[in-house]
C-alpha cells in the first residue's frame, strides 16, 4: 500500500504492539533509519512534521512509511 505525501500531509501514524516492542528493543534486525523513524512515530505528530524533522524528501518519507506499514510496525490513526 503506497501513500502519497506532500509538505502538507497531515496523516498521523502510531506504533502497533509489534512496533512498540521493536522500538523499545536494544537490537533489531531492521535498518537503523527505520528504527529512528519508528521511534519518532507517536500517534500525535503529522507525517509532514516528521518529514521536516528528519530532513527528508516526500519521496524518501513515503518509502520509509511504506516499509514500516508493510512490516506491521505502524498503522494509521
Amino acid at each position: 500500500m503506497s501513500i502519497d505525501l506532500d509538505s502538507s500531509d497531515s496523516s498521523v501514524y502510531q506504533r502497533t504492539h509489534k512496533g512498540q516492542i521493536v522500538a523499545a528493543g536494544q537490537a533489531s534486525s531492521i535498518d537503523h533509519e527505520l528504527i529512528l523513524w519508528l521511534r519518532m512515530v507517536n500517534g500525535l505528530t503529522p507525517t509532514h512534521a516528521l518529514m521536516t524533522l528528519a530532513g527528508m524528501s516526500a519521496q524518501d518519507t513515503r518509502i520509509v512509511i511504506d516499509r514500516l506499514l508493510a512490516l506491521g510496525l505502524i498503522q494509521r490513526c
Side-chain angles (χ1 to χ4, degrees):
M1 173 172 109
S2 182
I3 56 170
D4 291 323
L5 293 177
D6 61 33
S7 60
S8 64
D9 187 16
S10 60
S11 299
V12 176
Y13 294 89
Q14 64 187 13
R15 285 179 236 142
T16 61
H17 180 69
K18 179 180 174 182
Q20 289 285 71
I21 292 168
V22 171
Q26 297 281 329
S28 177
S29 61
I30 67 171
D31 184 34
H32 179 70
E33 181 179 52
L34 290 180
I35 287 289
L36 293 176
W37 266 89
L38 183 59
R39 290 179 177 159
M40 286 195 312
V41 170
N42 60 16
L44 301 170
T45 308
T47 303
H48 67 84
L50 296 177
M51 182 172 60
T52 301
L53 285 171
M56 292 178 72
S57 69
Q59 181 180 8
D60 290 340
T61 300
R62 186 185 72 242
I63 291 168
V64 169
I65 296 291
D66 283 347
R67 287 190 62 206
L68 291 171
L69 286 167
L71 291 168
L73 300 176
I74 64 170
Q75 62 190 10
R76 191 176 224 161
C77 293

